[in-house]
Amino acid sequence: MTKILEQLNEAQRQAVTATDGPVMVVAGAGSGKTRVLTYRIAYLLEQGVDPFNILALTFTNKAAREMKERIANLVGPEARNVWMGTFHSIFARMLRSDGHLLGYPSNFTIYDTDDAKSLLRSIIKELNLDKKVYPANVVLGRISSSKNNLLNAQAYINNDEITTADKAAGRPLIGEIYRIYEKRLFQSKAMDFDDLLFKTNILLRDFPEVLHKYQHKFRYILVDEYQDTNYSQYLIVKKLSANDENICVVGDDAQSIYAFRGANIANILNFRKDYPEVKVFKLEQNYRSTQTIVNAANGVIAHNKDQIQKVVWTENVSGDRISLFRAATDSEEGRKVAGSIFETKMNEHCSNQDFAILYRTNAQSRSLEEALRKQNIPYKIYGGLSFYQRKEIKDLLAYFRLAINHEDEEALLRVINYPTRGIGATSQQKLTIKAQENDVSLWEILDKPGTYGVEIGASVGNRLHQFKTMIESFSARIKKDNAYEVARHIASTTGIIKTLNEDKTPEGISRFENLEELLNAINEFAEKEPESEDEEEAPKTLDVFMQDVALLTDQDNDDKNDSDRVSLMTIHAAKGLEFPYVYIVGLEENLFPSMQSLNTRADLEEERRLFYVALTRAEKKSTISYAETRYKWGNLIMSEPSRFIEEIDPQYLDIPPSHYHRESSTAQTRQRAPFKDKPAYKKLKAGQPSANMTKASSARPKPSGDFPACNPDEIFPGIEVAHQKFGNGKVLNVEGKGANKKATIYFKNVGQKNLLLKFARLKIIKS
């Protein structure tokens, strides 16, 4: 074990060996948090602690599995006996043992989210409530929040503040639905995911003998990602550790980004109040990122008031400054990011998997996906579907497809009863059977159900006729009207916009934003200036747009290397991951930080922590970008650069000169002129280099229209050349012939570059 401890730095070693009493390990980004947890458990086992007396709680099964494997490698198979797993899995294990005291058998069923929603839909139907007024996921969200705050159905109904809010939202009967839901779950001897925490709290509260048993069983308790715990989890951990107080929590308040899931940052901020004798260890050495990234991230998070003070540092190289891209539109932003990835891959000999693009909302992936496809850069959507594969997008596209081609059976079946219009599964089955029996299309049957002997009621027949008439009305407009006008008309007339807009859960808001983004894409298509003769001849109609979409969504079956892809994901999904090169896009006010976060300081600080997480995912290079305009429901909206850009010390930013020119011309149209109060930025806008900027940045030559480029045939190894963008450099190697002739050049300001000579426009300064 002495050799193992030698693998830790001093702060890590102290956190590992301080085994008695309450301990808080504040672990900065990239500081070896998992290593400390793993080695601490291994150290306890080495010191003779029974593995059955150790409880380690994580947030993912993957984290628990990896930690067990690492511990086993350190101390052997005894690691398998440690009680290690997610909160839900550990508490389910406790409930299977002692849940009989609450009236549950050991084999109780656990309902997942879909099971819970299905039960709620049945209850809502039985109560004759409008499912549009009481969407199952909205109701489940309210119930989930209540359980995580330890409110059962009766407490919910008795809470005036909660019931008043439900009445104001037009859903006064959520409490009654909750009561029936709670009863039906118990009758089925089932618990939903939130019950696993809720019932454990009740078990430990109402049965002292059970609490006593687990307090004496778990003599050492460790909690990972403590900043992400909610109130229910906090109480369980506090009760279990109350006897010995050998509790070790590990986390980073600067990475608390899950308040929307119920996480309470106060749990880690107030840990010292709960345990006045706590020993605090700060892991401040970052092993992941360059000095530039670490220092820039420190400067940003310093703006938060509620935090545990620490100074993250690194011995890694200084590294490149953070690049800032300004784009006129989100489409241009996508092209700049894709172009930068392509260039970096060529110059640095990188793999696709070395790159990640992070965004605030899933809807932003659309322009990025299209730009990457055009550069033939393979990518994957991490933790979500490709934009055009998301349900809400496929639903609207199905309407477009059916309006264009009535014989498209898959599209017809997808939307005939969405949004709900009373053409249920039984009626659809009858139509399908008759179409198969008569060897005709489903649309043909829909057109003349009586002719083919379809036995349906008059009311259903009337609904089928209304649906058919609606689709035909869409078809009549496709060839005549602008693509966006038709698309918006279809989205509105079918009721899809209304349906998605009524769902105010985080998932519902995301789906609504995705629909908006699709319509934005169609509007851009309709207004885009033609770039070729073919585009001049092609009409800007919806059927032409759909042809483009069909090509974009076609899978590349020849790509056998599925792992080497650029990763696209939300910043929330990127938590815990790292990549050599990271692009953070959409840094605009009301997008990042989001509009919903601007109401309170607490919400804004969570957004800033989210940006901190994004910055610290990068190992070598971080690039941030924003667009000056974005479409919002077909209207072009001016965007203001995010305040988070201002909060990065300018010495760590590589800002293109065009940024300042554009900034000065548009500042008057904005409520806040970015960078206006920073002296360093004022100097830069005035053409003076900041004292903090490197000599290399101020030494770069500005592009000039009269730059006299030499003939590519005059370029040979050993000569010194000048480049308009990269400055002066020395030619190291020349290869290829004619139009394919390339040169490898080392530039003093930017390092080594591989340039195609016919485009490089070099000037010989010393032969």
Side-chain angles (χ1 to χ4, degrees):
M1 181 55 69
T2 303
K3 291 183 178 179
I4 292 177
L5 292 178
E6 288 176 355
Q7 299 177 35
L8 305 174
N9 65 33
E10 183 59 29
Q12 292 171 337
R13 192 178 304 117
Q14 290 179 8
V16 164
T17 56
T19 56
D20 296 328
V23 169
M24 178 167 67
V25 181
V26 182
S31 63
K33 168 182 66 70
T34 304
R35 170 174 285 231
V36 166
L37 275 171
T38 302
Y39 280 53
R40 184 179 173 88
I41 295 172
Y43 184 77
L44 286 169
L45 295 173
E46 192 75 8
Q47 297 301 303
V49 176
D50 189 328
F52 289 97
N53 294 149
I54 300 174
L55 171 64
L57 296 168
T58 67
F59 274 85
T60 66
N61 288 309
K62 179 183 177 185
R65 192 165 52 247
E66 289 179 352
M67 285 172 60
K68 267 194 177 182
E69 291 173 358
R70 293 189 193 183
I71 297 166
N73 290 333
L74 292 173
V75 297
E78 274 292 279
R80 293 179 298 192
N81 296 323
V82 174
W83 275 56
M84 180 182 293
T86 65
F87 284 88
H88 291 91
S89 66
I90 293 294
F91 299 156
R93 187 174 173 182
M94 292 166 60
L95 287 166
R96 294 209 184 279
S97 173
D98 298 286
H100 63 277
L101 297 170
L102 300 174
Y104 289 89
S106 61
N107 64 342
F108 65 84
T109 300
I110 298 175
Y111 277 12
D112 64 16
T113 303
D114 288 339
D115 296 327
K117 288 181 182 178
S118 179
L119 175 56
L120 284 170
R121 279 191 285 267
S122 298
I123 295 169
I124 291 164
K125 184 176 181 180
E126 291 164 11
L127 292 175
N128 294 317
L129 299 175
D130 188 341
K131 60 185 177 183
K132 295 179 181 177
V133 177
Y134 291 90
N137 58 330
V138 173
V139 177
L140 183 60
R142 294 288 285 172
I143 293 174
S144 175
S145 177
S146 299
K147 288 184 178 181
N148 285 329
N149 285 285
L150 303 185
L151 294 174
N152 62 15
Q154 194 57 52
Y156 186 101
I157 292 170
N158 293 340
N159 189 304
D160 290 338
E161 183 179 348
I162 291 175
T163 54
T164 299
D166 285 345
K167 289 176 183 177
R171 303 186 182 100
L173 294 178
I174 286 184
E176 176 64 11
I177 296 171
Y178 184 6
R179 185 187 68 78
I180 298 172
Y181 175 73
E182 188 178 68
K183 179 182 177 182
R184 294 274 283 274
L185 276 175
F186 186 73
Q187 288 174 341
S188 302
K189 302 306 176 189
M191 297 186 198
D192 62 19
F193 266 58
D194 296 307
D195 278 328
L196 297 176
L197 305 181
F198 183 57
K199 301 295 184 185
T200 300
N201 266 297
I202 294 175
L203 185 67
L204 299 179
R205 182 195 68 189
D206 295 351
F207 298 91
E209 68 276 17
V210 175
L211 176 60
H212 181 271
K213 179 179 77 171
Y214 286 112
Q215 282 179 338
H216 286 78
K217 177 178 180 60
F218 301 133
R219 309 303 294 263
Y220 294 89
I221 298 174
L222 301 92
V223 184
D224 189 17
E225 304 287 9
Y226 191 67
Q227 78 279 351
D228 292 335
T229 53
N230 61 28
Y231 180 62
S232 185
Q233 292 162 329
Y234 161 80
L235 282 182
I236 295 171
V237 170
K238 198 168 189 302
K239 289 174 184 175
L240 291 176
S241 63
N243 191 60
D244 293 309
E245 290 198 346
N246 291 331
I247 177 172
C248 173
V249 300
V250 182
D252 182 7
D253 58 294
Q255 297 186 66
S256 178
I257 59 174
Y258 294 116
F260 67 96
R261 295 182 188 168
N264 187 356
I265 191 175
N267 293 347
I268 193 168
L269 294 178
N270 296 333
F271 193 78
R272 286 172 173 160
K273 295 180 181 178
D274 290 335
Y275 303 93
E277 298 180 0
V278 63
K279 300 171 187 172
V280 179
F281 300 98
K282 297 180 180 180
L283 306 183
E284 298 174 302
Q285 183 174 0
N286 180 297
Y287 291 94
R288 176 190 300 151
S289 306
T290 64
Q291 292 179 21
T292 293
I293 293 170
V294 169
N295 293 340
N298 283 347
V300 170
I301 203 63
H303 288 79
N304 272 10
K305 181 179 178 181
D306 292 334
Q307 61 174 299
I308 300 171
Q309 293 299 324
K310 60 182 177 299
V311 179
V312 180
W313 58 277
T314 184
E315 292 181 343
N316 294 341
V317 298
S318 295
D320 294 338
R321 285 177 294 165
I322 297 170
S323 293
L324 173 64
F325 289 171
R326 175 190 58 78
T329 66
D330 57 341
S331 293
E332 183 184 344
E333 180 183 46
R335 291 193 296 271
K336 285 192 171 188
V337 168
S340 175
I341 291 174
F342 182 84
E343 182 178 348
T344 304
K345 277 177 58 182
M346 296 300 103
N347 292 339
E348 306 297 334
H349 307 290
C350 302
S351 301
N352 293 309
Q353 61 190 0
D354 292 334
F355 298 86
I357 306 174
L358 309 182
Y359 35 76
R360 183 63 181 83
T361 67
N362 278 309
Q364 292 170 255
S365 77
R366 190 266 309 168
S367 59
L368 298 162
E369 289 184 64
E370 293 178 357
L372 290 170
R373 284 193 184 98
K374 289 178 180 177
Q375 287 276 16
N376 291 318
I377 299 174
Y379 66 89
K380 63 180 177 181
I381 302 292
Y382 189 97
L385 293 171
S386 172
F387 181 85
Y388 287 105
Q389 295 300 313
R390 294 167 188 159
K391 180 186 180 301
E392 59 276 13
I393 300 302
K394 290 176 72 70
D395 288 338
L396 187 52
L397 292 179
Y399 270 111
F400 298 166
R401 286 164 48 191
L402 188 60
I404 294 166
N405 176 16
H406 298 330
E407 309 300 316
D408 190 335
E409 185 168 315
E410 289 296 318
L412 193 154
L413 288 173
R414 186 178 186 96
V415 300
I416 193 171
N417 200 40
Y418 177 79
T420 305
R421 54 175 57 90
I423 306 173
T426 302
S427 298
Q428 292 178 45
Q429 186 177 25
K430 289 178 180 179
L431 293 168
T432 302
I433 290 172
K434 287 300 180 182
Q436 293 172 348
E437 287 178 352
N438 292 277
D439 196 26
V440 296
S441 71
L442 201 55
W443 181 265
E444 178 70 19
I445 298 292
L446 192 70
D447 191 38
K448 304 170 184 176
T451 303
Y452 291 96
V454 181
E455 297 179 359
I456 52 175
S459 60
V460 175
N462 184 50
R463 295 182 196 120
L464 288 172
H465 177 72
Q466 291 175 350
F467 175 76
K468 171 181 168 292
T469 303
M470 178 180 69
I471 298 299
E472 288 176 336
S473 72
F474 299 159
S475 303
R477 297 186 58 170
I478 284 176
K479 291 292 185 182
K480 296 190 303 180
D481 296 337
N482 170 290
Y484 173 74
E485 294 172 356
V486 178
R488 180 63 190 263
H489 172 73
I490 292 175
S492 177
T493 304
T494 58
I496 289 180
I497 287 180
K498 182 175 182 293
T499 298
L500 294 180
N501 193 34
E502 289 175 342
D503 185 353
K504 299 303 182 184
T505 64
E507 296 83 2
I509 292 172
S510 178
R511 285 191 286 269
F512 186 76
E513 290 173 343
N514 289 337
L515 185 68
E516 175 189 353
E517 186 64 15
L518 174 61
L519 294 176
N520 289 343
I522 297 172
N523 196 36
E524 287 181 16
F525 162 81
E527 295 187 351
K528 181 183 176 184
E529 292 294 326
E531 297 178 356
S532 66
E533 292 183 7
D534 290 340
E535 288 189 7
E536 286 183 5
E537 296 175 1
K540 299 293 186 178
T541 51
L542 189 61
D543 54 336
V544 177
F545 174 82
M546 288 299 292
Q547 292 171 19
D548 290 345
V549 169
L551 292 172
L552 287 174
T553 57
D554 188 26
Q555 296 299 313
D556 183 7
N557 295 322
D558 293 329
D559 184 10
K560 296 186 171 58
N561 185 7
D562 191 57
S563 62
D564 187 28
R565 294 172 178 269
V566 174
S567 294
L568 275 68
M569 67 188 82
T570 64
I571 302 167
H572 283 101
K575 176 86 178 297
L577 302 177
E578 56 188 38
F579 303 88
Y581 301 91
V582 171
Y583 293 79
I584 310 167
V585 300
L587 272 164
E588 299 140 34
E589 289 291 302
N590 299 325
L591 178 57
F592 193 18
S594 71
M595 185 179 297
Q596 290 81 8
S597 73
L598 301 179
N599 297 322
T600 67
R601 180 173 58 81
D603 289 342
L604 179 60
E605 290 199 353
E606 171 132 341
E607 286 288 294
R608 187 174 286 111
R609 292 194 294 270
L610 192 59
F611 182 51
Y612 175 85
V613 167
L615 276 178
T616 55
R617 296 313 92 199
E619 298 171 348
K620 294 182 178 180
K621 171 78 173 179
S622 182
T623 300
I624 59 178
S625 65
Y626 70 93
E628 292 186 312
T629 59
R630 282 187 191 269
Y631 279 100
K632 297 287 286 184
W633 294 105
N635 295 317
L636 194 63
I637 304 298
M638 296 293 294
S639 299
E640 178 184 347
S642 170
R643 67 190 69 194
F644 298 152
I645 301 176
E646 299 178 41
E647 294 173 359
I648 299 175
D649 191 311
Q651 68 176 305
Y652 304 122
L653 274 177
D654 186 7
I655 311 173
S658 59
H659 176 83
Y660 306 111
H661 300 310
R662 181 62 63 97
E663 172 60 31
S664 61
S665 65
T666 58
Q668 292 180 349
T669 67
R670 299 175 179 159
Q671 296 176 353
R672 294 165 51 251
F675 324 127
K676 65 182 180 181
D677 297 324
K678 290 186 176 288
Y681 286 110
K682 289 181 177 179
K683 287 183 179 180
L684 284 169
K685 289 173 70 175
Q688 305 171 33
S690 166
N692 293 321
M693 303 296 266
T694 65
K695 292 181 179 180
S697 64
S698 60
R700 294 187 190 181
K702 296 181 179 180
S704 170
D706 59 356
F707 189 85
C710 70
N711 188 315
D713 292 335
E714 299 175 16
I715 303 297
F716 295 98
I719 67 174
E720 294 183 12
V721 295
H723 185 276
Q724 281 187 293
K725 179 180 178 182
F726 303 136
N728 297 344
K730 186 173 183 177
V731 180
L732 303 179
N733 185 44
V734 177
E735 59 182 21
K737 296 180 179 179
N740 296 319
K741 196 172 184 180
K742 299 178 182 178
T744 302
I745 306 171
Y746 180 81
F747 293 98
K748 297 177 182 178
N749 298 336
V750 296
Q752 188 168 302
K753 297 285 184 181
N754 295 319
L755 303 178
L756 197 62
L757 290 179
K758 69 175 181 178
F759 295 127
R761 289 181 53 79
L762 299 172
K763 180 174 72 173
I764 297 175
I765 57 176
K766 187 177 181 181
S767 58

